[in-house]
Every structure is written in structure tokens, then in C-alpha cells.
Amino acid sequence: PETAENMSEQQLDAALDLMRRLPPQQIKENLEGLIDLVPSLCEELLSSVDQPLKVAKDPSNGKEYLLCDYNRDGDSYRSPWSNKYDPALPDGALPSAKLRETEVMANDAFDTYREMYFEGGVSSVYLWDLDDGFAGVVLIKKMGDGSKKMKGCWDSIHVVEVQDRGRNAHYKLTSTVMLWMQTNKPQSGNMNLGGSMCRQAEQDFPVSDATPHIANIGHMVEDMELKMRSALQDIYFGKTKDIVNDLRSVASLGEARKQRELQRGIAAALKGRNAS
Amino acid sequence: MASYDEEIPDSEKVKLASGFILNAPPGEFNEVFNDVRVLLNNDTLLKEGASKAFSKYNQDQFTPVKVPGGSHKTLITKHGEVDATTYFDPRSAQNFAFDHLRKEASDPAPGNVDQGAESYRSVIDKAIQGYVEDHYPSGVSAVYGSGGTVTVCIEDHKFNPNNFWNGRWRSEWTLTTGSGDLKGVLKAQVHFYEDGNVQLISQKEVKESISAGSPEQAAKNVVSVIEKAENEYQTAISENYSTMSDTTFKALRRQLPITRAKLDWNKILHFKVGAEMSKK
């Protein structure tokens, strides 16, 4: 018999499968539609479906920060710079004092990372306590400048889980990179190439003053983005382009066939001549 | 957006379900349909309220289908719709029943031919068949004639779910035989979904003009214009890919920092800590 729990799990699977198939260009509308269709999945969907990152300004210092489910409490979002919620929330969830110290350092470190690799954009890191360690999310958003009539945008969402194991720690990283490219030009009409890629990694690192958590997480994120940048390039600008050119040929297929037959004929004739 | 306790009415739910179905990428109708079925959890409601979406989807996609009793294929399009479950194949002048869920054709019967448009339609159909064979590895075309209009529909697709990708090309060209106006809508869609969801959605509208003259002249000119326009579109897409890769993508994120080496995280942390301490 179909239990309520089974149904719920089946529905979550169906919702996630749907999000992998519907055009990612409409993630926001698709997600809203799914939540309307199955309201009981709301919390699960909001926490498991990656959305393009939104930017907000910290009212206390004017600094930009990124919004996600991990720094949200109700309808307010916590700034990693001031540790305050906007709109204000007197009882908003905050990291412990010690973890907040680590969070401040992580934000500074990834701010440098962001500048070195992205030369612009916005980054934010949010940490939260776990029983045997802590977890966090590293967010980066970089929008293109629109030159060559191309709109581009990169969103990084790295969720890391850190489990303390004495002198070592075990790190689990789940990374999503969203890449959006759009252009509207007379010769090509409207061209929208967008979506996301997800990868995972697990690694143990020693933890000490010389190799603190942030350095270990930094290494993992950096290596992951290196791999993903390469994969994104291959898939976006290699694979999808190849598929388009498999659907239709600019060159005449008849001409290509004639050429091949001509070559075959020459090869056969040469073989015959060599044999005799 | 509904809150946890509120449920939207069934009529709204079925609209959402239909919307999802209409947005299924090429080759993935069944998977999207099954997902929607589980989410809606009401088969009667789905059948009664979303069946229009099944037919609209097939029409939008220019779904190719083998003509019953024939050896060629035609396309399911709005131009060939006789009624919800009956479609017309202009090449064999036959009607046939079409099952939108199984995507199967059956029960051929003679259909109605618009004699006024048929001379242009049939010559253009032949010419387009030659054009499609020359540019589409497995393309299918359907050419409809109605009044003073001839409509050319071309479709090709490649489905490779084992490797997590699907793609489809659609062209629709409308010729007004009197004025020689030729309007085109070209669409390319690709879905790649191995460990992710990446889609290319591209569309271009074209406005051209030909001298119609005799059916033979019209056919020759139509093919010439279509070939040039579709080549231009496809070439422009390729050029965009190059620009995106070489310029836009590079400007979003460098492969390595300007130092040409990965970051020294300890240096970064100690620098920041040092800066903090010097502030105190």
C-alpha cells in the first residue's frame, strides 16, 4: 500500500527529476510552480534546488552579500559582514561566537579568492554548527559586463560538511556551478545557453594551526572549481555545439557523400594497381 | 505562492501540470509526464485537464510520424490538425488518427486537398524534400497548402538518453504566393543532463521576399532563400559559441590567477590575521 511517507519521497524524486529536465532558464518559475502543486514539499525543495544567487546590500555598511536558504530566517537574510538580519530579526538564527570568528576569516579568505579568480563579483560564506563539526556554504556570483553583446553570469554554490576526527577532519563537498550566457543579435536571433553542473568530492585533511579548516576548505573548493571550469567549457561550448551541428549540416550532405565515394573509388583503384 | 497549509484549486494545479508538460525538452515527454503524474497524484484530473497539453506539445515539437500504409514520414503540426485526434499528411493527401501519448498513427483515410494551393504546394514539397536530404541527416518535412499560403515545416532530432542528451531543430516557413513574402521561424534546442541541466534555447525570425511566378520558379527561389537563411543562422550560432568561449566565459572567471599558480591559502589567512591584529 502507498504510505504517505512513500508518496512524499516519490514526489520529491519526481520534483527533482523535473528540475533536471525543465529549461533551467525558468528555474524560479518552475520552483514556484512545484511548490504550488505540492505545498508539503516546500521546505525540502527550497533547501535542495539551487537557484541563481541574488545580491543584496547590507544596510549597515553598504557591502554586497549573497542570498540563499542557508542565511535565510523567515523572510530575512543575514549579512556575513555585519552578522545582522535584513529586515531586522531580534531572534534570528546566528552561528555560535567561536564559529562566527571562523566565519569572518572564511569570508575574508574567499574574498581574496574571489578577487584572484573572478576579478570582480560578490562572495559570501555562511557557517552553521553540527554535532561533530560544522558545515558551510561558499557562494560566489560574477556577472559579465555585457561586452560583444553577450550577457554572461557565473554562480558558485559550494556546500561543505566538516567532521572533526581528532588530528584530521573529514570534508564532504557538494558543488554546483551555474553558468548563464545569452545573446540577441540580428544574425543569430535569440540564443540562450544556460544551466548548471553538480559535482561532489570527499577528502581527509590534517587540522592544525598550519592547516586550519579554512585552508583545507579553500584547497578543496579551488580544486573543484578548476575541474568544473574545464568541464563547463567542454560541455557548454563543445558538446552542445556539436549536437546542434549534428542536427543540421551547413555543408551539402550530397557533396560530402560524393567526395567519400570518390575517395573510396581512388583507394580501390590504387589497391588494384598495387596488387597486379 | 501557496503557504504550507493552503492548497490551490484543482483548476490551477492542472494548469501548472500542463505548463510543465509543454516545457518538456525534446525526447523527454514520457519522463516529464511521469513526474507530473506523480506530483499531481490524480490521474482523472490529469487526463481530463491536461490532454490538450499532450496534443499541443506534439504540434509545437513538429513530432515526426510514419504515415500508416506509406513509407514516408510526416509531421504533427497545427497546420495538419483536422481535429484533436486526426491529422492530415499533405504529401499523400491522407488523414490519419494519432495517439498523442503513444505517438502512433493509424486508420488512414482520404483527406481534403485545397486544389487552389496544390500546384504550388506539390512542387515546393518536392523541392524541399531534396533540400532536406541535402542538409539534414534524418530530417522530415511537411508542406501544407491553404488558400494563398504555402507552409513549409522541417524537423530533425537526435535523442541520446543513454548519454544524457537530446536535441531538436525546427523550421517553419510561410510563403504568401501572391506577394512572394516568405517568413521563417528557426528554432534549435539542446538538453545535456549528465550531472546537471544545461540547455541551449535558440530562436530566430526571418523576413524575406521571393518572386513567386510559376510554381517551379517559386519552389526554386524558396529553397534558395531557405538554404541561405538557415545556413546563416547555423553559422551565426557557431560564431556565438566561439565568442562565448573565447571572450565572455574567460571574462567571468580566469583559469588561474594572474600569478599563474594556485593560491597559497596559508599566506591569505596569515595576511588577513595580521591585518586584523595590526588594527587592535
Side-chain angles (χ1 to χ4, degrees):
Chain A
E2 200 69 80
T3 64
E5 213 177 82
N6 273 355
M7 194 61 219
S8 199
E9 210 182 289
Q10 265 191 38
Q11 285 184 319
L12 181 61
D13 283 343
L16 294 178
D17 186 68
L18 208 51
M19 289 308 292
R20 267 190 293 275
R21 297 185 190 273
L22 296 174
Q25 288 81 355
Q26 278 103 45
I27 287 178
K28 185 170 175 288
E29 294 87 339
N30 294 338
L31 190 54
E32 281 170 6
L34 275 175
I35 291 172
D36 273 344
L37 198 54
V38 193
S40 58
L41 289 178
C42 182
E43 287 303 312
E44 280 259 35
L45 286 174
L46 284 179
S47 65
S48 52
V49 174
D50 295 310
Q51 295 188 68
L53 299 170
K54 286 207 194 93
V55 185
K57 254 205 185 109
D58 186 336
S60 68
N61 54 28
K63 285 189 87 167
E64 287 186 317
Y65 65 104
L66 296 168
L67 310 183
C68 70
D69 211 44
Y70 298 108
N71 65 324
R72 178 181 72 85
D73 192 338
D75 293 324
S76 296
Y77 289 90
R78 180 173 68 91
S79 157
W81 312 116
S82 62
N83 202 23
K84 293 205 188 88
Y85 275 92
D86 178 34
L89 259 189
D91 300 317
L94 296 174
S96 62
K98 184 147 193 300
L99 193 60
R100 173 61 189 158
E101 271 178 35
T102 311
E103 191 182 77
V104 170
M105 286 199 289
N107 273 286
D108 280 346
F110 277 100
D111 191 47
T112 301
Y113 173 85
R114 178 201 45 72
E115 194 54 43
M116 298 292 274
Y117 277 101
F118 293 85
E119 297 176 324
V122 184
S123 59
S124 299
V125 180
Y126 304 107
L127 305 180
W128 57 97
D129 292 285
L130 294 176
D131 285 334
D132 60 349
F134 68 95
V137 65
V138 176
L139 305 173
I140 303 173
K141 185 180 190 82
K142 168 78 184 289
M143 292 186 50
D145 62 2
S147 64
K148 303 231 175 183
K149 298 211 172 123
M150 298 250 170
K151 275 192 234 171
C153 187
W154 173 301
D155 290 298
S156 281
I157 301 168
H158 301 282
V159 180
V160 64
E161 198 184 297
V162 182
Q163 286 157 354
D164 287 317
R165 288 184 188 171
R167 261 183 285 173
N168 287 343
H170 185 73
Y171 300 81
K172 272 195 220 165
L173 179 64
T174 303
S175 298
T176 301
V177 174
M178 310 186 119
L179 182 61
W180 312 96
M181 303 253 163
Q182 193 178 353
T183 182
N184 206 319
K185 289 195 265 183
Q187 276 112 328
S188 51
N190 199 308
M191 183 171 166
N192 193 326
L193 179 60
S196 64
M197 173 188 293
C198 194
R199 293 272 192 280
Q200 290 185 315
E202 269 188 75
Q203 209 173 342
D204 284 330
F205 284 101
V207 188
S208 65
D209 282 342
T211 58
H213 284 305
I214 301 174
N216 296 337
I217 294 171
H219 280 304
M220 268 190 106
V221 167
E222 185 174 26
D223 282 347
M224 178 63 95
E225 284 201 346
L226 192 69
K227 280 198 205 96
M228 289 181 82
R229 188 188 182 281
S230 183
L232 285 165
Q233 183 146 32
D234 285 344
I235 289 166
Y236 273 66
F237 314 116
K239 188 70 195 171
T240 70
K241 175 179 156 188
D242 288 345
I243 295 170
V244 172
N245 291 324
D246 276 347
L247 298 173
R248 185 183 182 282
S249 169
V250 169
S252 156
L253 291 171
E255 279 305 309
R257 252 173 253 136
K258 269 193 219 151
Q259 279 296 315
R260 280 198 299 273
E261 274 168 33
L262 190 66
Q263 281 165 359
R264 244 176 269 149
I266 294 174
L270 284 174
K271 231 184 186 175
R273 209 178 294 163
N274 285 342
S276 59
Chain B
M1 207 162 86
S3 68
Y4 187 93
D5 302 317
E6 287 170 29
E7 288 253 338
I8 57 173
D10 279 353
S11 56
E12 287 301 309
K13 284 194 180 180
V14 102
K15 255 197 217 154
L16 287 168
S18 296
F20 288 147
I21 287 169
L22 284 175
N23 280 305
E28 297 172 47
F29 175 88
N30 289 346
E31 288 79 5
V32 170
F33 174 81
N34 285 327
D35 288 339
V36 166
R37 190 176 178 200
V38 167
L39 291 167
L40 193 62
N41 200 16
N42 185 336
D43 280 355
T44 319
L45 183 64
L46 184 63
K47 197 168 173 208
E48 287 172 10
S51 58
K52 274 213 183 73
F54 310 155
S55 56
K56 187 163 195 310
Y57 178 81
N58 285 326
Q59 286 182 358
D60 284 351
Q61 290 287 311
F62 284 8
T63 303
V65 65
K66 186 153 177 299
V67 177
S71 59
H72 69 274
K73 287 191 182 151
T74 191
L75 300 176
I76 299 297
T77 73
K78 68 173 189 248
H79 310 288
E81 186 184 25
V82 175
D83 63 47
T85 52
T86 314
Y87 284 82
F88 177 63
D89 166 35
R91 196 167 298 157
S92 64
Q94 298 219 81
N95 284 346
F96 56 90
F98 187 70
D99 182 327
H100 283 289
L101 284 179
R102 284 211 186 82
K103 305 209 201 309
E104 282 167 7
S106 61
D107 304 325
N112 280 338
V113 173
D114 182 335
Q115 290 301 344
E118 186 59 16
S119 55
Y120 279 93
R121 191 214 70 77
S122 57
V123 180
I124 291 174
D125 186 14
K126 273 238 154 50
I128 289 289
Q129 279 180 70
Y131 164 71
V132 166
E133 216 186 292
D134 207 28
H135 286 278
Y136 294 86
S138 43
V140 177
S141 63
V143 179
Y144 306 90
S146 173
T149 305
V150 174
T151 306
V152 174
C153 297
I154 301 172
E155 182 273 350
D156 199 345
H157 68 267
K158 280 216 156 59
F159 296 160
N160 200 329
N162 283 341
N163 288 316
F164 305 100
W165 61 262
N166 296 300
R168 173 168 264 151
W169 173 295
R170 286 163 287 168
S171 327
E172 187 181 74
W173 290 90
T174 310
L175 171 71
T176 311
T177 48
S179 60
D181 281 342
L182 182 58
K183 286 199 193 118
V185 179
L186 313 176
K187 294 180 185 169
Q189 184 177 3
V190 174
H191 182 207
F192 182 90
Y193 51 109
E194 183 171 22
D195 297 324
N197 180 0
V198 178
Q199 295 202 27
L200 166 73
I201 298 177
S202 175
Q203 179 169 325
K204 180 180 181 185
E205 279 162 35
V206 184
K207 277 198 183 79
E208 297 278 358
S209 171
I210 63 150
S211 46
S214 69
E216 284 72 26
Q217 269 181 305
K220 192 158 169 274
N221 293 334
V222 159
V223 164
S224 172
V225 167
I226 289 179
E227 182 174 35
K228 185 164 177 282
E230 294 191 347
N231 278 353
E232 196 177 291
Y233 174 54
Q234 191 174 350
T235 305
I237 289 178
S238 284
E239 278 166 12
N240 282 345
Y241 268 113
S242 293
T243 308
M244 282 175 174
S245 173
D246 299 338
T247 306
T248 322
F249 184 59
K250 277 206 167 71
L252 284 178
R253 185 189 186 282
R254 304 177 62 98
Q255 201 171 1
L256 278 175
I258 212 156
T259 55
R260 294 213 217 134
K262 293 205 296 189
L263 297 187
D264 182 337
W265 286 90
N266 285 321
K267 211 172 176 188
I268 294 175
L269 286 166
H270 288 131
F271 176 76
K272 293 288 182 176
V273 169
E276 280 301 304
M277 298 193 77
S278 65
K279 274 195 211 151
K280 289 190 178 138

